[in-house]
Amino acid sequence: MLNQEFVAKIEALLGKDRCSFSPEDLVAYSYDANPEKRAQGEGVVSPKDKEEVAAILKLAYEYEVPVTPRGGGSGYTGGCVPVGGGIVMAMDRFNKILEIDADNYLVIVEPGVVTKDLQAAVDKIGLMYPPDPASTAFSTIGGNIAENAGGIRAVKYGVTKHYVMGLEVVLPNGDIVKTGSKCIKDVAGYNLTELFVGSEGTLGVITKAVVKVVPKPEARRTMTATFSSLEKAAEAVKAIYATGVRPATMEFLDRISVEAVEKAISFGAKPEEGALLLIEVDGAELALTPDVEKIEGACKKCGVITFRKAETYEEREALWAARRALSFALTEIATEWEDDDVSVPIARIPQMIRKLDEIAERHDIIIANFGHYGDGNIHIGMTTGKSGRPFPMVAKEEVVQAVVELEGRIAAEHGIGCVKVENLHWNIDGPTMAMMRRFKNLFDPKGLLNPGKVIPSED
Ligand SMILES: Cc1cc2nc3c(=O)[nH]c(=O)nc-3n(C[C@H](O)[C@H](O)[C@H](O)COP(=O)(O)OP(=O)(O)OC[C@H]3O[C@@H](n4cnc5c(N)ncnc54)[C@H](O)[C@@H]3O)c2cc1C
């Protein structure tokens, strides 16, 4: 139960219209895109500027009320779910693009701006904001920064952290700090910006960001290549990289995924096709034809079965259709899936897939693999299909173990949140975890900012 004096003070601060304690709102703010983790807070507040954020955090500290920041609520690991109770801080009023500085290739943006709105605003003037999570239509820049979101262009352009130059952050005690700057070269003091990027709202609330943009590539070409197995596709990826061409996108679907999509949308896959690569290159128009030729040549050397190229927008959309149809296609195999998001060094993807096949066989389950081949990020879907058997959770543990054995990471782009918090020890050893804990305590000695996320419980 929230302290009534606290409630009265918050309402006086923000006005009653920007505070809600209604059961409907508590339910609406009790989940993200992960269907398993739900928890209701005791209130929802909606500040409109950094001073209000600071005042709320100070008050929450005084009354020892947990605060959970929330962006678009599209996270997959329960990051914005108020598992520790207290109040949810909805950042949707921070929705302005404050400045587009085209001469310096940067944008100053509030955290509640929806990612695709930032992309569209800079696109109009020939610029590109490269981080491109598949959730751009509903995730926010603040959520992307807090999660260090990746996406389909990470192979060539990197992830969100590569585009954050500076931040304004309100600390749990209400102090407003500024990290980084507008300068590309900047070694004035510790690199605090990177400490906040990916910290999942556990160290401070981001209220402003300086992000980098790049010139928009003149043109883009899309291709798909199918192979008999993922091993063959892996050889092709190696051969493509050896040509010196750096694709912007290199997505893959494994056999189960290809078969599921073929069943759902009949895109022309042959029975012998056990892996699909979706490849995109971008850059200067003149350079792209030779790039495509080199990629086609590399794929041919590695036994490509079908190589398709898109010349028009419609053809590009047709090639993307298989990738986009995947989530829907997998629901035909089962409605309940256990999902994971992991990464391994890219040359080890075939080994990882072999280990996953072994796990599937041992537990008599179906495992579908797809994701961002070019950066080693595998999205794993596991299910017992329509058998009605409960999912053997030990299989999930074995997946984590396999990832660790291959020197991979248990979380690639979807964060730790509260869903993976008790698994973090698989990647982070004792002394390193102790250091992380000390950082958290330094910023948030009472443990009130987004409790239950990232840092596991002491025991
Ligand atoms: C269909 C779908 C596709 C997706 N595709 C991708 C993908 O390709 N790549 C990828 O990386 N992710 C993807 N995601 C996951 C998700 O969209 C990202 O993690 C995204 O960055 C979350 O942004 P959000 O605004 O929705 O944040 P939320 O879910 O609201 O919050 C995420 C975290 O950020 C914190 N936070 C939010 N705002 C602030 C702030 N202002 N200050 C401090 N902390 C804050 C929250 O406390 C929480 O810990 C996908 C999700 C869906 C549903």
Side-chain angles (χ1 to χ4, degrees), residues 32-33 68-76 79-80 91 111 132-135 138-140 142-144 146-151 200-201 204-206 372 413-414 450:
D32 65 1
T68 301
R70 182 182 176 99
S74 72
Y76 270 137
C80 65
M91 297 301 288
D132 196 27
S135 51
F138 36 86
S139 70
T140 65
N144 293 170
E147 296 285 340
N148 189 15
E200 302 193 30
V205 177
I206 299 159
H372 316 296
E413 59 175 9
H414 294 163
N450 212 355

Side-chain angles (χ1 to χ4, degrees), residues 249-289:
T249 296
M250 177 80 82
E251 299 284 291
F252 81 101
L253 304 186
D254 73 352
R255 182 179 295 280
I256 289 179
S257 307
V258 171
E259 285 172 0
V261 175
E262 178 57 21
K263 222 169 160 186
I265 62 163
S266 307
F267 71 104
K270 301 173 186 154
E272 64 271 29
E273 291 175 345
L276 177 143
L277 292 178
L278 172 69
I279 308 159
E280 263 184 2
V281 285
D282 65 9
E285 178 85 55
L286 279 177
L288 293 188
T289 305

Side-chain angles (χ1 to χ4, degrees), residues 333-351:
I333 296 177
T335 44
E336 303 265 315
W337 288 84
E338 289 290 331
D339 296 319
D340 213 338
D341 155 59
V342 304
S343 64
V344 292
I346 56 167
R348 295 190 182 158
I349 290 186
Q351 273 168 281

Side-chain angles (χ1 to χ4, degrees), residues 118-419:
L118 172 63
Q119 288 173 335
V122 298
D123 182 85
K124 272 191 221 154
I125 54 166
L127 298 172
M128 177 168 88
Y129 176 67
D132 196 27
S135 51
T136 46
F138 36 86
S139 70
T140 65
I141 293 297
N144 293 170
I145 294 173
E147 296 285 340
N148 189 15
I152 59 163
R153 294 196 281 238
V155 192
K156 177 172 174 181
Y157 291 99
V159 296
T160 301
K161 73 173 176 190
H162 299 114
Y163 295 87
V164 184
M165 299 177 72
L167 292 172
E168 177 185 87
V169 183
V170 185
L171 301 183
N173 67 359
D175 283 355
I176 301 171
V177 298
K178 294 187 183 75
T179 74
S181 67
K182 293 181 173 181
C183 299
I184 294 168
K185 288 191 172 174
D186 174 358
V187 289
Y190 292 139
N191 184 354
L192 294 178
T193 307
E194 281 226 14
L195 187 59
F196 288 106
V197 178
S199 67
E200 302 193 30
T202 61
L203 301 179
V205 177
I206 299 159
T207 47
K208 195 159 56 179
V210 183
V211 298
K212 195 159 63 172
V213 288
V214 299
K216 188 170 129 184
E218 199 180 11
R220 187 166 49 189
R221 293 277 184 282
T222 308
M223 295 141 270
T224 56
T226 56
F227 300 87
S228 57
S229 66
L230 210 67
E231 272 83 2
K232 282 274 163 207
E235 278 173 31
V237 173
K238 212 169 148 188
I240 292 168
Y241 278 21
T243 65
V245 177
R246 194 71 176 165
T249 296
M250 177 80 82
E251 299 284 291
F252 81 101
L253 304 186
D254 73 352
R255 182 179 295 280
I256 289 179
S257 307
V258 171
E259 285 172 0
V261 175
E262 178 57 21
K263 222 169 160 186
I265 62 163
S266 307
F267 71 104
K270 301 173 186 154
E272 64 271 29
E273 291 175 345
L276 177 143
L277 292 178
L278 172 69
I279 308 159
E280 263 184 2
V281 285
D282 65 9
E285 178 85 55
L286 279 177
L288 293 188
T289 305
D291 280 359
V292 171
E293 282 166 4
K294 284 181 193 164
I295 291 173
E296 188 170 4
C299 289
K300 279 185 175 157
K301 268 193 223 150
C302 300
V304 69
I305 299 174
T306 312
F307 190 85
R308 294 188 178 88
K309 288 179 269 192
E311 301 293 341
T312 61
Y313 173 79
E314 287 72 28
E315 285 168 4
R316 176 179 187 256
E317 288 301 293
L319 293 189
W320 269 97
R323 175 69 178 90
R324 293 206 180 108
L326 182 63
S327 303
F328 160 72
L330 292 179
T331 62
E332 288 295 307
I333 296 177
T335 44
E336 303 265 315
W337 288 84
E338 289 290 331
D339 296 319
D340 213 338
D341 155 59
V342 304
S343 64
V344 292
I346 56 167
R348 295 190 182 158
I349 290 186
Q351 273 168 281
M352 184 64 203
I353 303 291
R354 272 198 296 278
K355 280 178 183 271
L356 290 168
D357 286 347
E358 280 162 29
I359 294 169
E361 205 177 315
R362 195 162 44 249
H363 296 286
D364 190 18
I365 56 175
I366 300 165
I367 301 189
N369 301 295
F370 55 95
H372 316 296
Y373 199 113
D375 51 50
N377 182 185
I378 310 173
H379 295 313
I380 305 169
M382 294 167 274
T383 182
T384 54
K386 290 183 175 157
S387 67
R389 272 185 301 123
F391 183 80
M393 292 311 279
V394 63
K396 245 186 142 170
E397 285 273 315
E398 288 179 18
V399 169
V400 172
Q401 213 165 340
V403 168
V404 175
E405 277 166 19
L406 294 174
E407 296 182 273
R409 305 304 270 176
I410 62 157
E413 59 175 9
H414 294 163
I416 293 293
C418 51
V419 169

